[in-house]
Amino acid sequence: MTVALMWEARAVEGGGERLLAWARGQRLDPAPLRRETLRAPADRVLVITWWDAPYDAELPELPEPGEDLARRAVHRWRFESVESAAPEV
């Protein structure tokens, strides 16, 4: 099964680049199968990691960045992959 962990934070005013650099510098041990870092308006940063693990597995996650970088607590979500099926005709 593949599990995706999503981590999203909003930077303090004008701190988007600092938050992005901080998130990109965080290492996970062990490393995920795949990791993608994205940004959006309003200084938001999103990190998605993919793991070959059961849905409820203990997995390393990015920590809270701290009040000097983020204006609110991090939002976190966990999803599991579903098999793609050909659409019925």
Side-chain angles (χ1 to χ4, degrees):
M1 171 185 297
T2 301
V3 175
L5 302 183
M6 296 177 65
W7 176 101
E8 186 265 339
R10 187 167 180 201
V12 294
E13 186 70 33
E17 288 300 320
R18 284 190 314 121
L19 179 61
L20 179 62
W22 179 90
R24 294 177 82 185
Q26 299 302 302
R27 299 291 166 237
L28 298 171
D29 186 23
L33 296 172
R34 179 177 165 201
R35 177 176 172 163
E36 191 167 346
T37 304
L38 304 101
R39 66 177 162 194
D43 291 326
R44 290 179 293 145
V45 174
L46 173 67
V47 178
I48 307 170
T49 56
W50 286 264
W51 306 86
D52 182 17
Y55 183 82
D56 58 353
E58 286 285 327
L59 298 169
E61 295 191 51
L62 294 176
E64 293 283 333
E67 292 179 6
D68 60 324
L69 289 173
R71 67 175 71 193
R72 60 164 167 74
V74 168
H75 292 172
R76 301 170 191 273
W77 302 275
R78 184 176 285 226
F79 296 88
E80 64 183 346
S81 293
V82 258
E83 284 189 41
S84 297
E88 292 183 26
V89 179

